[in-house]
Amino acid sequence: AVVSTQSTGLILLIGNYMNSGSRNAESYGFKLNFLTKLSNTKAHDNRSNMLHFLANLLESRYPQWVNFRDDLRNLEKARRVSDDQLSKQLRGMKKSLNNLKKELEFHKNPESIDDRFGTEMNAFLKFANDEYEKLEATYTNMGKCVAEIISFYGEDPKKTNSEEFFSDIVTFCNDFESARVENTKMKEAKKREEKQKELKEKEKRKKEQREKERKDFIIDQQGEGEGVLDDLMDALKTGQAYNRDNRRQKQRQNREGKGNRNLQRGRSQTGHSQSPRHKNNSDNQDALDSILNSTPTRTERRQRANTRGESKASEALQRVRAL
């Protein structure tokens, strides 16, 4: 078959499905020139048509039917053959042979011994008649085969000539192959689009992650600011923020008082004559006093804690001002 009956049957099935509910539903067949109009049936996106769908369907589910064009290598030459021209040429050849036959009847008898026209042309006429009969038989056989093929596909051989028939088939085959090539390009383009979309989605996720981290950082900073504000409020409530200078002054006075007491103790010790043993005891006492003086008292420790609290409150105030 010129085109596999499986393929045409599949086309008929698709057409009946698309025409379901209309007067064209449940058709038993279609005109062969309908194959050249498949590309006119567009998809909803207007980017593909029925030929693209048919090519995809055959390649995915019926790959054994998709290469029917391989059996039609001579179809392009066949559609260039004109039945009318062949018939006209054969009639011309027959007429020429008849004229030659009549001409030879007038030359049955040679006009001279050297006249070989009758002998040579009679041999040619016999050879030409044999070749003509072969051509005529081939032409007749070809006409019968073309008529059978046209009838096989539901067309009327008397209304459809070989040129129209084969042209429709060639057009369908070319359009089908073009659809296959376009399907391949569309699949490749789709893969590229999906890859680009995936890259954009990945970049979008990265951007959202960076934005989330930025917001989390701001929230953390706000939380720290609230913590600083709480420290400042505590400092204000306890009075540490206001008594910082007074406490520093008290600390200086305490340090000066200690220094004066140490100085008086040293003077009283140097005013008396001391024995070596007493001197050693005095040195030990001085060392002990030095250790005791260097050890902070409970009041000093409290003052130092208050000083650290004041410093922390001051830093908190500066951070609040910075915010």
Side-chain angles (χ1 to χ4, degrees):
V2 177
V3 181
S4 65
T5 55
Q6 294 90 344
S7 300
T8 53
L10 186 60
I11 294 171
L12 177 62
L13 179 62
I14 295 172
N16 283 333
Y17 175 79
M18 295 177 63
N19 294 325
S20 59
S22 67
R23 62 183 182 86
N24 294 325
E26 299 182 0
S27 297
Y28 293 101
F30 55 85
K31 292 290 185 180
L32 199 64
N33 60 2
F34 174 73
L35 295 175
T36 63
K37 302 175 183 178
L38 292 177
S39 58
N40 296 334
T41 305
K42 303 290 185 179
H44 67 280
D45 58 359
N46 206 32
R47 297 177 60 185
S48 58
N49 53 53
M50 190 173 176
L51 268 178
H52 295 102
F53 175 77
L54 179 64
N56 276 329
L57 185 62
L58 290 177
E59 288 181 343
S60 60
R61 297 190 179 183
Y62 310 102
Q64 67 275 17
W65 301 343
V66 76
N67 294 318
F68 58 83
R69 193 184 182 190
D70 294 343
D71 299 329
L72 310 176
R73 291 184 294 270
N74 297 322
L75 203 60
E76 183 69 33
K77 296 178 180 179
R79 75 165 179 168
R80 297 175 183 174
V81 176
S82 172
D83 183 70
D84 293 338
Q85 288 294 330
L86 286 177
S87 178
K88 184 178 180 180
Q89 289 176 1
L90 285 173
R91 289 196 299 270
M93 291 173 63
K94 182 65 175 177
K95 183 178 180 180
S96 297
L97 290 175
N98 289 333
N99 290 335
L100 178 58
K101 185 177 180 180
K102 292 178 180 179
E103 184 70 23
L104 289 174
E105 289 179 354
F106 292 102
H107 296 84
K108 288 181 179 181
N109 299 318
E111 297 179 356
S112 64
I113 299 175
D114 297 330
D115 186 5
R116 296 182 55 84
F117 176 78
T119 304
E120 295 294 334
M121 294 307 294
N122 279 319
F124 171 76
L125 180 60
K126 185 178 183 305
F127 171 79
N129 278 326
D130 293 339
E131 293 298 319
Y132 174 79
E133 290 176 358
K134 292 178 183 179
L135 288 174
E136 188 177 29
T138 301
Y139 173 75
T140 302
N141 185 53
M142 182 198 73
K144 290 180 179 179
C145 292
V146 171
E148 289 177 0
I149 293 174
I150 294 174
S151 299
F152 178 80
Y153 283 96
E155 302 293 335
D156 187 356
K158 295 180 180 179
K159 296 181 180 180
T160 304
N161 58 43
S162 61
E163 292 176 88
E164 295 175 354
F165 176 80
F166 290 119
S167 293
D168 290 341
I169 298 297
V170 170
T171 300
F172 167 70
C173 291
N174 292 337
D175 292 344
F176 181 80
E177 290 300 318
S178 297
R180 292 182 66 187
V181 174
E182 291 170 0
N183 281 342
T184 302
K185 292 181 179 179
M186 286 189 288
K187 289 178 182 178
E188 293 175 352
K190 186 176 180 180
K191 288 181 179 179
R192 288 194 297 269
E193 291 177 359
E194 290 177 352
K195 187 174 181 180
Q196 291 177 357
K197 184 178 179 180
E198 184 178 354
L199 292 175
K200 289 181 179 179
E201 289 292 333
K202 187 176 181 180
E203 184 64 26
K204 183 179 178 182
R205 288 194 296 269
K206 288 183 179 180
K207 186 176 180 181
E208 291 176 352
Q209 182 64 26
R210 290 195 297 268
E211 183 66 18
K212 182 178 180 299
E213 292 176 354
R214 188 184 70 82
K215 290 181 179 179
D216 292 342
F217 176 77
I218 293 174
I219 293 173
D220 292 341
Q221 291 296 319
Q222 291 176 350
E224 292 182 2
E226 292 176 357
V228 171
L229 186 60
D230 292 339
D231 294 340
L232 179 61
M233 294 300 296
D234 292 339
L236 292 175
K237 289 179 180 179
T238 58
Q240 293 177 356
Y242 303 105
N243 299 327
R244 183 177 182 181
D245 294 336
N246 294 333
R247 288 170 180 168
R248 288 182 177 178
Q249 185 176 0
K250 289 180 180 180
Q251 290 175 0
R252 287 196 299 270
Q253 291 176 356
N254 291 333
R255 287 194 295 271
E256 290 176 357
K258 289 181 181 180
N260 292 331
R261 288 195 297 271
N262 292 333
L263 180 61
Q264 292 175 359
R265 187 183 296 111
R267 288 176 179 177
S268 62
Q269 291 174 355
T270 55
H272 301 280
S273 59
Q274 299 174 354
S275 62
R277 182 177 179 182
H278 183 75
K279 185 176 182 180
N280 291 335
N281 291 336
S282 178
D283 293 339
N284 293 335
Q285 184 64 35
D286 291 340
L288 180 60
D289 291 340
S290 177
I291 292 172
L292 292 174
N293 291 333
S294 63
T295 303
T297 63
R298 183 176 182 180
T299 301
E300 289 175 342
R301 288 196 298 270
R302 186 180 300 171
Q303 289 175 353
R304 291 179 183 179
N306 291 336
T307 301
R308 286 195 296 269
E310 292 173 2
S311 178
K312 185 176 181 180
S314 178
E315 292 178 357
L317 181 60
Q318 291 178 1
R319 292 174 67 182
V320 171
R321 288 174 180 174
L323 292 175

